């Protein structure tokens, strides 16, 4: 019997199949990673070794996902895939195989997808916490694709309570002050990529006493924590500033699914590489993700443990023996009960289901 497109039953089935694909890809990557010796706590990879491992793992993930996507009984059109920006000279000039284009059954229901086959590549290369396989889906035509040649997004991701308060079109001093008014200066953890382009945000936050978590890479998982309303040590999470474009779109899909707050602006460097060109387009959540919230979901499987934002077990915990991971599905409340019931019948994987 056919299933009506867009129903909770269909979305639960689709999300279940994609969880299976992410789980298999994460297992493949973790298996390869067991060949990498563990590093000391203060040890870093050489640039050459990091590039070689990044290329190997990203392409292995792409190959595993491509094989699984070919068996889907629905069609996904990958409109954004992390990896393109790695070809830039400042990122090593890597040639990573991308999943752009259509996969699966063209006669089945159709979805747009944004995917990062290995989010947290640096963590994966070092066998450290924070590497995941992640993808976001929405009904066909529901996600604005990453514009050609765009790699970065100036973003503002926060819980639903930030709606009508924060505004990415306003200066950092305004938004940081608004966060302090909304949550209390001691009630928010502001996550910022440690880049010169974000210096004004860091300075403004320090002036009002907001805790700033400066990160060198990987703003997607904290963005998901922000839009789903997770709290870290009792504090609300907000992500602000320049980061990756695909990561911003995935976070916006999660915000759409669970009614979180997401805004973004195209970020293209001007003459000064730390300053964006002026007057680039601004988007709120519903402009980035125009599809219906009940037809959206984000899912990911940890390759390594995810200790900070969701507290999940990954495949590789450094012991040398792969473990059963806990995946995450961020879905609309209309999907949540159906998906949870489906997963209870399927005892092959552990999944945390998050919704509004």
């Amino acid at each position: 019997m056919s299933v009506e497109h867009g129903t909770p039953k269909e979305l639960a089935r689709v999300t279940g199949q994609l969880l299976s694909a992410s789980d298999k890809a994460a297992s493949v990557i973790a298996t390869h990673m067991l060949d990498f010796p563990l590093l000391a706590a203060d040890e870093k990879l050489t640039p050459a070794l990091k590039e070689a491992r990044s290329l190997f793992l990203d392409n292995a993930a792409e190959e595993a996902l491509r094989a699984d996507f070919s068996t889907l009984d629905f069609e996904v059109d990958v409109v954004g895939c992390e990896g393109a920006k790695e070809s830039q000279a400042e990122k090593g000039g890597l040639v990573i195989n991308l999943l752009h284009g259509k996969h699966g059954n063209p006669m089945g229901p159709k979805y747009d997808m944004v995917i990062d086959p290995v989010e947290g590549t640096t963590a994966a290369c070092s066998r450290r916490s924070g590497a995941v396989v992640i993808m976001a889906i929405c009904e066909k035509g529901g996600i604005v694709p990453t514009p050609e040649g765009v790699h970065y997004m100036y973003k503002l991701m926060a819980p639903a309570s930030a709606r009508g308060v924060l505004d990415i079109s306003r200066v950092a001093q305004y938004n940081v002050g608004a966060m302090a008014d909304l949550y209390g200066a001691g009630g928010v953890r502001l996550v910022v990529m440690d880049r010169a382009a974000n210096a004004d945000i860091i300075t403004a936050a320090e002036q009002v006493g907001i805790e700033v978590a400066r990160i060198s890479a990987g703003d997607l998982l904290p963005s998901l924590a922000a839009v789903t309303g997770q709290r870290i040590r009792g504090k609300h999470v907000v992500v602000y500033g320049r980061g990756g474009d695909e990561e911003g779109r995935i976070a916006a899909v999660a915000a759409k699914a669970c009614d979180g707050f997401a805004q973004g602006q195209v970020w293209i460097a001007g003459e000064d590489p730390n300053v964006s060109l002026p007057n680039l387009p601004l988007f709120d959540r519903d402009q980035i993700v125009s599809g219906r919230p009940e037809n959206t979901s984000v899912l990911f499987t940890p390759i390594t443990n995810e200790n900070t934002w969701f507290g999940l077990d990954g495949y590789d915990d450094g012991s040398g023996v792969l473990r059963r991971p806990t995946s995450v599905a961020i879905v609309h409340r209309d999907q949540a009960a159906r998906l949870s019931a489906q997963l209870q019948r399927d005892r092959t994987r552990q999944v945390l289901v998050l919704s509004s």
Side-chain angles (χ1 to χ4, degrees):
M1 185 175 70
S2 63
V3 180
E4 183 183 353
H5 182 49
T7 64
K9 182 175 182 180
E10 183 208 314
L11 266 294
R13 179 181 62 83
V14 166
T15 300
Q17 287 190 43
L18 293 176
L19 279 167
S20 179
S22 73
D23 185 75
K24 289 179 184 177
S27 174
V28 166
I29 297 307
T31 301
H32 286 309
M33 285 165 46
L34 294 183
D35 293 331
F36 302 162
L38 288 173
L39 302 177
D42 59 350
E43 187 179 359
K44 293 185 178 181
L45 296 175
T46 65
L49 185 55
K50 179 184 172 183
E51 288 178 10
R53 288 185 180 181
S54 296
L55 182 62
F56 174 69
L57 294 179
D58 279 324
N59 284 341
E62 185 272 346
E63 183 178 344
L65 288 167
R66 187 178 294 275
D68 257 4
F69 285 178
S70 69
T71 67
L72 297 175
D73 60 11
F74 53 93
E75 183 181 78
V76 294
D77 186 0
V78 177
V79 298
C81 182
E82 173 64 13
K85 72 170 175 279
E86 311 306 317
S87 63
Q88 301 175 99
E90 63 267 28
K91 288 286 186 177
L94 304 182
V95 181
I96 295 172
N97 296 327
L98 302 179
L99 281 157
H100 283 125
K102 297 178 181 179
H103 307 269
N105 180 6
M107 302 303 293
K110 301 182 188 304
Y111 296 88
D112 284 349
M113 174 181 282
V114 181
I115 186 167
D116 191 341
V118 185
E119 162 64 11
T121 307
T122 299
C125 291
S126 305
R127 293 182 64 188
R128 289 177 174 151
S129 174
V132 302
V133 176
I134 188 165
M135 57 191 81
I137 63 165
C138 186
E139 60 190 339
K140 181 63 180 171
I143 305 175
V144 175
T146 300
E148 185 71 27
V150 170
H151 303 301
Y152 301 103
M153 178 187 288
Y154 188 69
K155 63 189 76 169
L156 186 50
M157 306 290 174
S161 53
R163 189 173 301 111
V165 179
L166 302 185
D167 183 352
I168 199 171
S169 70
R170 303 188 69 168
V171 297
Q173 288 85 349
Y174 167 81
N175 282 307
V176 168
M179 292 173 212
D181 290 342
L182 182 61
Y183 302 119
V188 58
R189 190 179 195 196
L190 179 60
V191 182
V192 183
M193 294 285 282
D194 197 3
R195 304 284 189 270
N198 297 330
D200 59 331
I201 298 170
I202 295 170
T203 298
E206 291 174 342
Q207 287 174 346
V208 298
I210 286 179
E211 177 189 356
V212 180
R214 302 189 193 196
I215 57 174
S216 60
D219 68 349
L220 178 50
L221 290 177
S223 292
L224 297 181
V227 302
T228 57
Q230 305 300 305
R231 296 196 190 188
I232 306 300
R233 301 194 306 274
K235 296 186 176 185
H236 299 272
V237 179
V238 176
V239 177
Y240 191 15
R242 195 202 83 172
D245 183 88
E246 282 83 10
E247 291 90 338
R249 291 173 198 276
I250 292 172
V253 174
K256 187 66 174 276
C258 65
D259 200 30
F261 176 90
Q263 290 181 327
Q265 182 178 31
V266 172
W267 201 102
I268 301 173
E271 291 185 10
D272 181 340
N274 297 313
V275 178
S276 179
L277 291 173
N279 303 318
L280 290 169
L282 291 162
F283 303 99
D284 65 19
R285 181 196 70 188
D286 294 341
Q287 290 170 312
I288 300 171
V289 185
S290 61
R292 292 169 290 179
E294 61 270 23
N295 282 357
T296 62
S297 63
V298 172
L299 52 100
F300 64 89
T301 299
I303 304 167
T304 58
N305 291 352
E306 199 300 292
N307 298 327
T308 304
W309 308 106
F310 294 92
L312 305 174
D313 293 332
Y315 267 109
D316 177 26
D317 65 351
S319 67
V321 178
L322 298 186
R323 303 187 308 167
R324 188 181 185 187
T326 300
S327 297
V328 170
I330 301 169
V331 299
H332 187 264
R333 59 182 176 271
D334 290 350
Q335 281 195 57
R338 171 75 70 169
L339 180 61
S340 296
Q342 176 180 300
L343 292 168
Q344 285 179 355
R345 296 190 296 270
D346 178 6
R347 300 181 182 275
T348 61
R349 64 180 63 89
Q350 299 176 142
V351 182
L352 172 64
V353 178
L354 299 175
S355 65
S356 57

